[in-house]
Amino acid sequence: MQIKINGVVSEVQPGMTILEAAREMGIDIPTLCYLEGVHEAGACRVCIVEVKGARTLVPACITEAADGMEIFTHTSRVRRARRTIIELMLSDHPDECLTCGKNNQCELQKLARAMNIQERKYEGEYSSRVIDDGSPAVIRDSGKCILCRRCLSVCSMIQDVNAIAPIGRGFKTVIAPAGKEPINQSPCVQCGQCVNVCPTGAIIEKSDVIRVWEALEDPRKHVVVQVAPAVRVAIGEVFGLEPGTSVTWKMVSALKKLGFDRVFDTNFTADLTIMEEGSELIQRINEGGRLPMITSCSPGWINYMEYFFPQLVEHLSTCKSPQQMFGAVIKTYYADKAGIPAENIFAVSVMPCTAKKYESQRPEMYSSGYRDVDAVLTTRELGAMLKEAGIDLLSCGEETFDQPFGAGSGAGAIFGNTGGVMEAALRTVYEILTGDELDNLNFHQVRGLTGVKETSVKIGGREFSVAVVHGLGNIRKILEDIDKGRSRYHFIEVMCCPGGCIGGGGQPISKDPGIKEKRIAGLYREDEGLPVRKSHENPAVQELYREFLGHPLGHRSHELLHTRYRNRREQEYENHWKTDSLSKA
Amino acid sequence: MEVRQVDNPDVQRQKVEDIISAYRDKPGALIPVLHEIQNALGYLPRWVQYRVSNIMNIPVSEVNSIISFYALFSEKPKGEYAIGVCKGTACYVRGADKIIEKLEEELGIEAGDTTPDGKFSIEVMRCLGACGLGPVMVINDDIYTRIKPDKVKDIINAIRQKDGSETT
């Protein structure tokens, strides 16, 4: 099938849209609401093109190319229409670019520039503006929303959460939770996938940058930082490196330059998680505990479970996430060992995640007697701090993480991608149960980007059935099976975000379609390059058990490293019932 | 004039449960369910939306989105005296908007709202089929025809007086 775009003839596959065909030919058609595979609605009309013989301009993102079609992407008719569309959007958009969280990363801003718009052509009524900053993870500013509905599509199609919807109609429409209530009172799981797809500054993460600067500048505070595995293969992107480039040791150096007193590796508590979670799994299997057991490292996933399947929370491992385990150990074991009072320690973590901000504020996360993790920065926020401080990551030297938690194993490193927690757990559970050494540490069956991966593993003559899921939209069926007592799995790994933490809501925003594969490859390279690749062989973890914790699932572990869950859904209903019936009485 | 009766909360809760369970396994039943609940309760409070969402497995954002889309559905309880003003074509050309303006002024609320004491609500209605008698206003089950804007105050005051003598 042949089409002609801007005079160039090309062979295209039947079924392709004009946009896909043009992109394949290297011709750029601007888009705004379009999000490949997720939101293809033709709503914003920015991608309109002229088709010879057609009465009107057609949206390229949803119009199929037909044989013999002759298309023009930048005629004066197209350009004028496109410019008017953007000008009309600007007529209901605040002039706040300089102080906006998305300054220089805003797609509307880029389009205004590309259309050569130099004045505000239309003045008119503004839609009402509500800024919702009640959530610890995300801030929503309806004034900057252009109603493209990308957030909504991600929230429903990818994450199956449906926290937001169009409320009202016509000019009064806003994208908001039910009743335009604060996002905190909605089913929102705080995953931040909406932040990653919002073309403007209408949804951004809630920044902890100022609090961290204040702590760093406070001479009484001993400020420690932990860095999640997925950060090290993404922070380089902020400085122009190819996605997936691992910059672990430069990043440590940069963090020290920022003024952190100690730089620790979350991979260490990832190993600790495997010790606790692996032991918990073995215990549940041997003692007839609740199966399948499901991983609990991903706070967005926990939020999902607590809202949508509260009846199944006993299937969750009681282990805290590596971030929270670290906080609890820093303000107890480390405080003691370093001779620093816990109240003077300010614990920061750098995470690929917005839900981690929420997690750190949960009331269960004060097990050291203080807030275990004081502030959470996303990868993006760390990048912004480094730039503000004039620290060029690429020209930093290489330094190693600080003791006593310096070393993380390769198993800890792959916690940052889908399948990684499962693989780490299998390496350890296998060796503990059999006493034999694994010949091949690589469990390829659980790797890759398939939404649901399942396999069975033979350990000591017993067959274990496991599943790995990423992207919340893939989990519902498995949970429904568990609910009906039909699940055949022993152990399930769930990560909230597509691709796992490397695709988290706090990662640098990228248009690279291969971004997930590249970051994942970076973490497997990290794993293979480390001297220790099994959590239970991490000497620092062994020492922590010897000196402080005793043994996995012991008394101290129980107090510091394990947690409990609640029923968010019933709470919502009861809260509304109470407030509504009270206001009536 | 009859005062509209409001059920106590437990009765409301039971009515809602009954309606939802009658429809729970029927696909596409959201709008009829909301309709019936609104008929029973007079409006669709937030707790009802959460209950419908939980039992029918429809996101609460979607339930609310639909309620906010259709003018027929209301999230606010109607007043004990629910005033409806016809704004169909005939009533409109005969000055229905002046009547609404006067009502808004007298009651201190906008059309679509309910007074804070829960006594009065104003609703804009579509043609009631009494075009020859317009502008037409309905208060609970009583119909007022050919109203003049300067009569609005008297009508409201008469209700206030009667209501005051009944409760005291």
Side-chain angles (χ1 to χ4, degrees), chain A residues 62-76:
Chain A
I62 51 165
T63 308
E64 269 187 29
D67 194 27
M69 216 181 222
E70 222 179 304
I71 299 150
F72 302 93
T73 64
H74 287 77
T75 59
S76 71

mmCIF file with all atom_site columns, all heavy atoms in Angstrom, chain A residues 62-76:
data_model
loop_
_atom_site.group_PDB
_atom_site.id
_atom_site.type_symbol
_atom_site.label_atom_id
_atom_site.label_alt_id
_atom_site.label_comp_id
_atom_site.label_asym_id
_atom_site.label_entity_id
_atom_site.label_seq_id
_atom_site.pdbx_PDB_ins_code
_atom_site.Cartn_x
_atom_site.Cartn_y
_atom_site.Cartn_z
_atom_site.occupancy
_atom_site.B_iso_or_equiv
_atom_site.pdbx_formal_charge
_atom_site.auth_seq_id
_atom_site.auth_comp_id
_atom_site.auth_asym_id
_atom_site.auth_atom_id
_atom_site.pdbx_PDB_model_num
ATOM 1   N N   . ILE A 1 62 ? -5.683 9.214  14.713 1.00 0.00 ? 62 ILE A N   1
ATOM 2   C CA  . ILE A 1 62 ? -6.734 8.188  14.690 1.00 0.00 ? 62 ILE A CA  1
ATOM 3   C C   . ILE A 1 62 ? -7.257 7.917  13.283 1.00 0.00 ? 62 ILE A C   1
ATOM 4   O O   . ILE A 1 62 ? -8.216 7.173  13.113 1.00 0.00 ? 62 ILE A O   1
ATOM 5   C CB  . ILE A 1 62 ? -7.932 8.538  15.609 1.00 0.00 ? 62 ILE A CB  1
ATOM 6   C CG1 . ILE A 1 62 ? -8.428 9.949  15.316 1.00 0.00 ? 62 ILE A CG1 1
ATOM 7   C CG2 . ILE A 1 62 ? -7.563 8.381  17.065 1.00 0.00 ? 62 ILE A CG2 1
ATOM 8   C CD1 . ILE A 1 62 ? -9.791 10.236 15.908 1.00 0.00 ? 62 ILE A CD1 1
ATOM 9   N N   . THR A 1 63 ? -6.647 8.546  12.267 1.00 0.00 ? 63 THR A N   1
ATOM 10  C CA  . THR A 1 63 ? -7.115 8.307  10.898 1.00 0.00 ? 63 THR A CA  1
ATOM 11  C C   . THR A 1 63 ? -6.196 7.291  10.228 1.00 0.00 ? 63 THR A C   1
ATOM 12  O O   . THR A 1 63 ? -4.987 7.496  10.173 1.00 0.00 ? 63 THR A O   1
ATOM 13  C CB  . THR A 1 63 ? -7.118 9.620  10.096 1.00 0.00 ? 63 THR A CB  1
ATOM 14  O OG1 . THR A 1 63 ? -7.832 10.606 10.842 1.00 0.00 ? 63 THR A OG1 1
ATOM 15  C CG2 . THR A 1 63 ? -7.779 9.418  8.740  1.00 0.00 ? 63 THR A CG2 1
ATOM 16  N N   . GLU A 1 64 ? -6.792 6.212  9.746  1.00 0.00 ? 64 GLU A N   1
ATOM 17  C CA  . GLU A 1 64 ? -5.978 5.199  9.082  1.00 0.00 ? 64 GLU A CA  1
ATOM 18  C C   . GLU A 1 64 ? -5.526 5.687  7.710  1.00 0.00 ? 64 GLU A C   1
ATOM 19  O O   . GLU A 1 64 ? -6.285 6.317  6.984  1.00 0.00 ? 64 GLU A O   1
ATOM 20  C CB  . GLU A 1 64 ? -6.782 3.903  8.910  1.00 0.00 ? 64 GLU A CB  1
ATOM 21  C CG  . GLU A 1 64 ? -6.617 2.962  10.073 1.00 0.00 ? 64 GLU A CG  1
ATOM 22  C CD  . GLU A 1 64 ? -7.286 1.616  9.816  1.00 0.00 ? 64 GLU A CD  1
ATOM 23  O OE1 . GLU A 1 64 ? -7.388 1.199  8.646  1.00 0.00 ? 64 GLU A OE1 1
ATOM 24  O OE2 . GLU A 1 64 ? -7.706 0.990  10.806 1.00 0.00 ? 64 GLU A OE2 1
ATOM 25  N N   . ALA A 1 65 ? -4.299 5.374  7.381  1.00 0.00 ? 65 ALA A N   1
ATOM 26  C CA  . ALA A 1 65 ? -3.800 5.700  6.054  1.00 0.00 ? 65 ALA A CA  1
ATOM 27  C C   . ALA A 1 65 ? -4.482 4.763  5.050  1.00 0.00 ? 65 ALA A C   1
ATOM 28  O O   . ALA A 1 65 ? -4.697 3.594  5.342  1.00 0.00 ? 65 ALA A O   1
ATOM 29  C CB  . ALA A 1 65 ? -2.293 5.511  6.009  1.00 0.00 ? 65 ALA A CB  1
ATOM 30  N N   . ALA A 1 66 ? -4.851 5.314  3.893  1.00 0.00 ? 66 ALA A N   1
ATOM 31  C CA  . ALA A 1 66 ? -5.485 4.485  2.863  1.00 0.00 ? 66 ALA A CA  1
ATOM 32  C C   . ALA A 1 66 ? -4.633 4.529  1.603  1.00 0.00 ? 66 ALA A C   1
ATOM 33  O O   . ALA A 1 66 ? -3.894 5.489  1.378  1.00 0.00 ? 66 ALA A O   1
ATOM 34  C CB  . ALA A 1 66 ? -6.892 4.997  2.572  1.00 0.00 ? 66 ALA A CB  1
ATOM 35  N N   . ASP A 1 67 ? -4.768 3.496  0.809  1.00 0.00 ? 67 ASP A N   1
ATOM 36  C CA  . ASP A 1 67 ? -3.948 3.396  -0.402 1.00 0.00 ? 67 ASP A CA  1
ATOM 37  C C   . ASP A 1 67 ? -4.155 4.619  -1.292 1.00 0.00 ? 67 ASP A C   1
ATOM 38  O O   . ASP A 1 67 ? -5.289 5.029  -1.552 1.00 0.00 ? 67 ASP A O   1
ATOM 39  C CB  . ASP A 1 67 ? -4.320 2.107  -1.153 1.00 0.00 ? 67 ASP A CB  1
ATOM 40  C CG  . ASP A 1 67 ? -3.281 1.779  -2.212 1.00 0.00 ? 67 ASP A CG  1
ATOM 41  O OD1 . ASP A 1 67 ? -2.111 2.185  -2.017 1.00 0.00 ? 67 ASP A OD1 1
ATOM 42  O OD2 . ASP A 1 67 ? -3.632 1.133  -3.212 1.00 0.00 ? 67 ASP A OD2 1
ATOM 43  N N   . GLY A 1 68 ? -3.061 5.199  -1.729 1.00 0.00 ? 68 GLY A N   1
ATOM 44  C CA  . GLY A 1 68 ? -3.134 6.332  -2.643 1.00 0.00 ? 68 GLY A CA  1
ATOM 45  C C   . GLY A 1 68 ? -3.381 7.669  -1.967 1.00 0.00 ? 68 GLY A C   1
ATOM 46  O O   . GLY A 1 68 ? -3.509 8.697  -2.631 1.00 0.00 ? 68 GLY A O   1
ATOM 47  N N   . MET A 1 69 ? -3.489 7.656  -0.642 1.00 0.00 ? 69 MET A N   1
ATOM 48  C CA  . MET A 1 69 ? -3.762 8.898  0.084  1.00 0.00 ? 69 MET A CA  1
ATOM 49  C C   . MET A 1 69 ? -2.623 9.899  -0.114 1.00 0.00 ? 69 MET A C   1
ATOM 50  O O   . MET A 1 69 ? -1.457 9.524  -0.102 1.00 0.00 ? 69 MET A O   1
ATOM 51  C CB  . MET A 1 69 ? -3.882 8.556  1.566  1.00 0.00 ? 69 MET A CB  1
ATOM 52  C CG  . MET A 1 69 ? -4.906 9.362  2.318  1.00 0.00 ? 69 MET A CG  1
ATOM 53  S SD  . MET A 1 69 ? -4.884 8.826  4.054  1.00 0.00 ? 69 MET A SD  1
ATOM 54  C CE  . MET A 1 69 ? -6.619 8.790  4.401  1.00 0.00 ? 69 MET A CE  1
ATOM 55  N N   . GLU A 1 70 ? -3.028 11.152 -0.305 1.00 0.00 ? 70 GLU A N   1
ATOM 56  C CA  . GLU A 1 70 ? -2.016 12.196 -0.432 1.00 0.00 ? 70 GLU A CA  1
ATOM 57  C C   . GLU A 1 70 ? -2.177 13.159 0.740  1.00 0.00 ? 70 GLU A C   1
ATOM 58  O O   . GLU A 1 70 ? -3.244 13.747 0.934  1.00 0.00 ? 70 GLU A O   1
ATOM 59  C CB  . GLU A 1 70 ? -2.200 12.923 -1.771 1.00 0.00 ? 70 GLU A CB  1
ATOM 60  C CG  . GLU A 1 70 ? -0.890 13.198 -2.457 1.00 0.00 ? 70 GLU A CG  1
ATOM 61  C CD  . GLU A 1 70 ? -1.101 13.890 -3.792 1.00 0.00 ? 70 GLU A CD  1
ATOM 62  O OE1 . GLU A 1 70 ? -1.854 13.324 -4.635 1.00 0.00 ? 70 GLU A OE1 1
ATOM 63  O OE2 . GLU A 1 70 ? -0.542 14.971 -3.972 1.00 0.00 ? 70 GLU A OE2 1
ATOM 64  N N   . ILE A 1 71 ? -1.125 13.269 1.554  1.00 0.00 ? 71 ILE A N   1
ATOM 65  C CA  . ILE A 1 71 ? -1.233 13.963 2.841  1.00 0.00 ? 71 ILE A CA  1
ATOM 66  C C   . ILE A 1 71 ? -0.246 15.117 2.894  1.00 0.00 ? 71 ILE A C   1
ATOM 67  O O   . ILE A 1 71 ? 0.883  15.008 2.415  1.00 0.00 ? 71 ILE A O   1
ATOM 68  C CB  . ILE A 1 71 ? -0.936 12.972 3.997  1.00 0.00 ? 71 ILE A CB  1
ATOM 69  C CG1 . ILE A 1 71 ? -1.965 11.835 3.982  1.00 0.00 ? 71 ILE A CG1 1
ATOM 70  C CG2 . ILE A 1 71 ? -0.933 13.672 5.347  1.00 0.00 ? 71 ILE A CG2 1
ATOM 71  C CD1 . ILE A 1 71 ? -1.429 10.535 4.510  1.00 0.00 ? 71 ILE A CD1 1
ATOM 72  N N   . PHE A 1 72 ? -0.714 16.218 3.494  1.00 0.00 ? 72 PHE A N   1
ATOM 73  C CA  . PHE A 1 72 ? 0.177  17.371 3.689  1.00 0.00 ? 72 PHE A CA  1
ATOM 74  C C   . PHE A 1 72 ? 0.167  17.730 5.169  1.00 0.00 ? 72 PHE A C   1
ATOM 75  O O   . PHE A 1 72 ? -0.894 17.910 5.753  1.00 0.00 ? 72 PHE A O   1
ATOM 76  C CB  . PHE A 1 72 ? -0.289 18.548 2.833  1.00 0.00 ? 72 PHE A CB  1
ATOM 77  C CG  . PHE A 1 72 ? -0.352 18.202 1.373  1.00 0.00 ? 72 PHE A CG  1
ATOM 78  C CD1 . PHE A 1 72 ? -1.538 17.735 0.807  1.00 0.00 ? 72 PHE A CD1 1
ATOM 79  C CD2 . PHE A 1 72 ? 0.788  18.296 0.579  1.00 0.00 ? 72 PHE A CD2 1
ATOM 80  C CE1 . PHE A 1 72 ? -1.599 17.386 -0.530 1.00 0.00 ? 72 PHE A CE1 1
ATOM 81  C CE2 . PHE A 1 72 ? 0.728  17.949 -0.767 1.00 0.00 ? 72 PHE A CE2 1
ATOM 82  C CZ  . PHE A 1 72 ? -0.459 17.488 -1.327 1.00 0.00 ? 72 PHE A CZ  1
ATOM 83  N N   . THR A 1 73 ? 1.319  17.822 5.762  1.00 0.00 ? 73 THR A N   1
ATOM 84  C CA  . THR A 1 73 ? 1.363  17.978 7.220  1.00 0.00 ? 73 THR A CA  1
ATOM 85  C C   . THR A 1 73 ? 1.579  19.418 7.685  1.00 0.00 ? 73 THR A C   1
ATOM 86  O O   . THR A 1 73 ? 1.349  19.728 8.838  1.00 0.00 ? 73 THR A O   1
ATOM 87  C CB  . THR A 1 73 ? 2.487  17.118 7.834  1.00 0.00 ? 73 THR A CB  1
ATOM 88  O OG1 . THR A 1 73 ? 3.748  17.600 7.339  1.00 0.00 ? 73 THR A OG1 1
ATOM 89  C CG2 . THR A 1 73 ? 2.335  15.658 7.476  1.00 0.00 ? 73 THR A CG2 1
ATOM 90  N N   . HIS A 1 74 ? 2.054  20.281 6.803  1.00 0.00 ? 74 HIS A N   1
ATOM 91  C CA  . HIS A 1 74 ? 2.373  21.632 7.269  1.00 0.00 ? 74 HIS A CA  1
ATOM 92  C C   . HIS A 1 74 ? 1.972  22.711 6.273  1.00 0.00 ? 74 HIS A C   1
ATOM 93  O O   . HIS A 1 74 ? 2.651  23.720 6.135  1.00 0.00 ? 74 HIS A O   1
ATOM 94  C CB  . HIS A 1 74 ? 3.871  21.751 7.581  1.00 0.00 ? 74 HIS A CB  1
ATOM 95  C CG  . HIS A 1 74 ? 4.274  21.042 8.844  1.00 0.00 ? 74 HIS A CG  1
ATOM 96  N ND1 . HIS A 1 74 ? 4.432  19.678 8.931  1.00 0.00 ? 74 HIS A ND1 1
ATOM 97  C CD2 . HIS A 1 74 ? 4.532  21.519 10.086 1.00 0.00 ? 74 HIS A CD2 1
ATOM 98  C CE1 . HIS A 1 74 ? 4.775  19.340 10.160 1.00 0.00 ? 74 HIS A CE1 1
ATOM 99  N NE2 . HIS A 1 74 ? 4.850  20.436 10.889 1.00 0.00 ? 74 HIS A NE2 1
ATOM 100 N N   . THR A 1 75 ? 0.832  22.529 5.566  1.00 0.00 ? 75 THR A N   1
ATOM 101 C CA  . THR A 1 75 ? 0.378  23.594 4.668  1.00 0.00 ? 75 THR A CA  1
ATOM 102 C C   . THR A 1 75 ? -0.078 24.786 5.504  1.00 0.00 ? 75 THR A C   1
ATOM 103 O O   . THR A 1 75 ? -0.287 24.663 6.713  1.00 0.00 ? 75 THR A O   1
ATOM 104 C CB  . THR A 1 75 ? -0.818 23.121 3.826  1.00 0.00 ? 75 THR A CB  1
ATOM 105 O OG1 . THR A 1 75 ? -1.854 22.748 4.724  1.00 0.00 ? 75 THR A OG1 1
ATOM 106 C CG2 . THR A 1 75 ? -0.447 21.948 2.947  1.00 0.00 ? 75 THR A CG2 1
ATOM 107 N N   . SER A 1 76 ? -0.306 25.904 4.836  1.00 0.00 ? 76 SER A N   1
ATOM 108 C CA  . SER A 1 76 ? -0.676 27.087 5.620  1.00 0.00 ? 76 SER A CA  1
ATOM 109 C C   . SER A 1 76 ? -2.033 26.872 6.286  1.00 0.00 ? 76 SER A C   1
ATOM 110 O O   . SER A 1 76 ? -2.270 27.317 7.399  1.00 0.00 ? 76 SER A O   1
ATOM 111 C CB  . SER A 1 76 ? -0.663 28.347 4.757  1.00 0.00 ? 76 SER A CB  1
ATOM 112 O OG  . SER A 1 76 ? -1.748 28.319 3.872  1.00 0.00 ? 76 SER A OG  1
#
